[in-house]
Amino acid sequence: MVDVKPRTLKPATEDKVVDLVSLCENLLPYVCHLLKVPLERLNQGELAAFISYAISFPKNFLVLVDTYNVMWSGVPNFCTVALALAKLGYQAVGIRLDSGDLAQQSVVIRRIFQTCSIEFQFPWFMSLSITVSNNINEKSLLQFNQQENSIDVIGVGTHLVTCPLQSSLGYVCKLVELNGSPRIKLTEDTNKITLPGRKTVYRLFDASGHCFLDLLALNDEPSLVVGQEVECQMLGKGEGSVRIVVSRVETMHQDYFREAKICSPLPSVMDVREYSQCSLLMLGEEHKRLSKPKPYKVAITEKLYRLLNNFKIANGSSHI
C-alpha cells in the first residue's frame, strides 16, 4: 500500500483527516472472515486502486470488480473500502460487472451486500447499485427478464450505436415523376423495380388501435376516409388482392424538401423522438418480438397497380 498517495481522507462531517489506508487494512480481516474469503486470495494492487479512487471520489465510489476475480477479490475489496467510507460518513454508489454470468453474480453479490449491511449496521448497504455491461443486446435483456437477477443498471454501449442485425440503413433516391409524367425503373431484379408516380402514404389501424397496413396511393387519388372500402394489392411474394374497410387512417407522407428548398418547418430532435416512440407503441407485439417477428404489410391501390403493370407490359415484362 506504499504506492497509495495521498493516504488520507477528510470525513464527511469533520475536518480532521483520517488515514483511509490504515482503516481499510483494519477492516479487511473482518470482511474476509464474514464473506469466508481467504485473505491471501485478495489482490492487493486492486485494493490499492480502490482506495486511491475512494480518496479522489468518496461520494461517487463505483468500481469494476471483475479485473482479477469477482468473488475472491473484487467484491471483498469493494466491501472493505465501501465500509471504510461509510465509517467516515460517505455512502458508496456500487459495483460494475463486465464478464461472466451477470444475472447469477448479481444475486450472489446482493446477498453479500445484505450480509455486510446487517453485520456492520449500515441499512443502505444492502441497496448498493449493481451495474452490468459486456456487449449487452436485445437478447441479453430478454434473458435477464427470464432469470432471477438483482441488477439495477444495465450499460449498453456497442449495440446502442452499432446494431449487428441492421448495421446500416440503406437509402436510395429514384425518379418517379418527370414534368408531371410518372416514371419507373425496370430491371431483371424485381426487388429493385420502383413504383411509378408521385404518391401518398396512408397508415391503417385496426379496432385495437394497432397499425396493420401501410397503403401507397397515387397523389391524384381521392383521400381515404373512415368507412370507405378499399381494394388494394399486397406487396410481396404470394400476396394478392384484398378489400379493406377503413376504420382509422393517418396520412404519413409530408413534404419537407421541395424544388431544392425546405418547404415546411423541420421538427426538433425531441419531436422526432416522441413521434418514433408513439409509432412503436402503435405497432403490434407480433411485429416487435425478437423471435420470428411477423412481417408488416404494405400494399398499393388498384390504380397504382394498373399503372405499374402498364409500364411493365409496355416494356415486355410480366405482371407482378
Side-chain angles (χ1 to χ4, degrees):
M1 296 295 169
V2 294
D3 292 330
V4 178
K5 297 177 183 178
R7 296 170 54 96
T8 59
L9 177 65
K10 187 183 296 184
T13 57
E14 300 177 20
D15 290 331
K16 185 179 179 181
V17 296
V18 174
D19 188 322
L20 187 63
V21 174
S22 297
L23 183 55
C24 288
E25 288 176 331
N26 291 334
L27 279 169
L28 190 58
Y30 293 100
V31 172
C32 288
H33 176 75
L34 179 66
L35 304 185
K36 297 181 174 57
V37 176
L39 188 60
E40 61 272 13
R41 291 291 300 270
L42 271 63
N43 185 283
Q44 294 297 310
E46 181 183 57
L47 178 60
F50 286 2
I51 294 173
S52 294
Y53 188 79
I55 291 172
S56 299
F57 304 100
K59 296 179 181 179
N60 299 286
F61 185 61
L62 187 152
V63 294
L64 180 69
V65 295
D66 62 3
T67 302
Y68 299 100
N69 186 291
V70 175
M71 299 302 171
W72 293 100
S73 184
V75 172
N77 279 335
F78 165 79
C79 290
T80 298
V81 179
L83 289 167
L85 286 174
K87 289 181 177 294
L88 299 183
Y90 297 102
Q91 185 170 321
V93 176
I95 59 99
R96 180 167 73 92
L97 294 166
D98 194 52
S99 61
D101 188 331
L102 302 176
Q104 189 271 337
Q105 288 182 107
S106 72
V107 173
V108 176
I109 292 171
R110 180 65 66 201
R111 292 178 186 145
I112 291 174
F113 288 168
Q114 292 168 347
T115 299
C116 291
S117 173
I118 295 169
E119 178 68 22
F120 293 95
Q121 297 296 300
F122 292 114
W124 51 265
F125 207 94
M126 66 176 63
S127 301
L128 286 171
S129 176
I130 298 176
T131 300
V132 299
S133 55
N134 189 23
N135 289 320
I136 303 295
N137 57 27
E138 296 96 329
K139 290 184 178 179
S140 305
L141 299 177
L142 184 62
Q143 290 171 353
F144 290 154
N145 286 332
Q146 294 172 343
Q147 296 175 271
E148 180 188 5
N149 72 80
S150 191
I151 298 169
D152 298 299
V153 180
I154 298 174
V156 183
T158 302
H159 291 274
L160 182 66
V161 297
T162 305
C163 177
L165 297 178
Q166 184 69 56
S167 57
S168 63
L169 178 63
Y171 181 79
V172 181
C173 294
K174 297 293 183 181
L175 184 70
V176 296
E177 184 179 274
L178 179 63
N179 297 327
S181 298
R183 291 291 183 266
I184 186 174
K185 174 186 176 179
L186 290 171
T187 172
E188 292 181 351
D189 186 348
T190 56
N191 291 322
K192 293 187 176 182
I193 295 176
T194 59
L195 298 173
R198 186 175 298 190
K199 292 171 281 293
T200 299
V201 184
Y202 299 99
R203 179 157 292 170
L204 280 66
F205 297 81
D206 59 23
S208 66
H210 290 121
C211 52
F212 69 92
L213 176 74
D214 282 3
L215 178 64
L216 282 72
L218 290 169
N219 234 26
D220 59 1
E221 294 187 67
S223 299
L224 294 187
V225 295
V226 173
Q228 176 183 351
E229 186 179 64
V230 182
E231 184 173 2
C232 53
Q233 290 286 335
M234 307 297 293
L235 297 180
K237 292 182 179 179
E239 302 287 356
S241 176
V242 296
R243 285 185 174 272
I244 297 171
V245 177
V246 179
S247 60
R248 178 187 162 195
V249 61
E250 288 185 8
T251 303
M252 305 303 297
H253 183 257
Q254 180 176 344
D255 285 342
Y256 285 99
F257 194 74
R258 187 186 301 126
E259 296 179 357
K261 294 181 181 179
I262 296 176
C263 57
S264 297
L266 298 177
S268 68
V269 172
M270 294 305 297
D271 289 337
V272 172
R273 178 178 182 271
E274 182 178 357
Y275 179 81
S276 298
Q277 290 178 329
C278 290
S279 296
L280 283 173
L281 290 175
M282 294 178 184
L283 194 63
E285 291 300 322
E286 67 273 16
H287 300 298
K288 296 186 286 187
R289 61 193 178 210
L290 290 177
S291 177
K292 298 180 180 179
K294 182 179 179 181
Y296 187 75
K297 300 288 187 180
V298 179
I300 59 177
T301 61
E302 277 296 311
K303 185 174 181 179
L304 177 52
Y305 176 71
R306 289 193 299 269
L307 177 62
L308 174 61
N309 272 330
N310 288 340
F311 268 106
K312 297 181 75 174
I313 292 171
N315 286 272
S317 302
S318 61
H319 286 209
I320 60 172

